[in-house]
Amino acid sequence: MKIKNKILALTTILSSILLFFIILSEDVIKELDSCLCTEILSNDTFIINKNKMPSVKNCIDKFKDFENAHLKCIKSFKFDNHQIKKDSLKST
């Protein structure tokens, strides 16, 4: 019975810690949200009503303005640059 109680207590503690970190990180705007913030910060109506919308305030706090959010959004995309190979036997 002692081992079951220890396992139960350990599981409860670890679950509580995990839940705490999930709740803590849920409200924070992350770098990956930069494209969404670009859309939000491009709309003047949202910026005017930023006190009524917490997401707008979070975007402004994280990225400061549209340009910074847009730059982070562009940097988040991974583009594949395929090299064009010329066939020396073919003529154009």
Side-chain angles (χ1 to χ4, degrees):
M1 284 300 205
K2 288 184 178 183
I3 294 175
K4 286 184 181 181
N5 288 340
K6 287 181 182 179
I7 292 173
L8 183 62
L10 184 62
T11 303
T12 304
I13 291 170
L14 291 175
S15 298
S16 299
I17 291 171
L18 181 64
L19 184 64
F20 174 74
F21 282 117
I22 289 172
I23 291 172
L24 183 67
S25 67
E26 203 168 287
D27 292 335
V28 178
I29 298 277
K30 296 177 181 57
E31 294 290 322
L32 296 176
D33 297 327
S34 59
C35 295
L36 175 63
C37 285
T38 300
E39 290 296 320
I40 290 173
L41 295 175
S42 68
N43 191 328
D44 291 333
T45 307
F46 287 160
I47 294 174
I48 291 170
N49 296 318
K50 68 182 175 188
N51 294 332
K52 297 177 184 176
M53 295 182 269
S55 59
V56 177
K57 187 175 181 323
N58 289 338
C59 286
I60 291 172
D61 290 344
K62 178 72 178 178
F63 298 106
K64 306 296 182 224
D65 58 4
F66 170 81
E67 286 80 17
N68 289 333
H70 186 61
L71 183 63
K72 292 286 185 182
C73 178
I74 291 171
K75 288 182 179 179
S76 69
F77 287 102
K78 304 283 189 256
F79 295 107
D80 293 332
N81 294 330
H82 297 287
Q83 291 183 352
I84 298 173
K85 295 182 181 179
K86 265 189 168 177
D87 190 356
S88 61
L89 300 176
K90 288 185 178 180
S91 61
T92 349

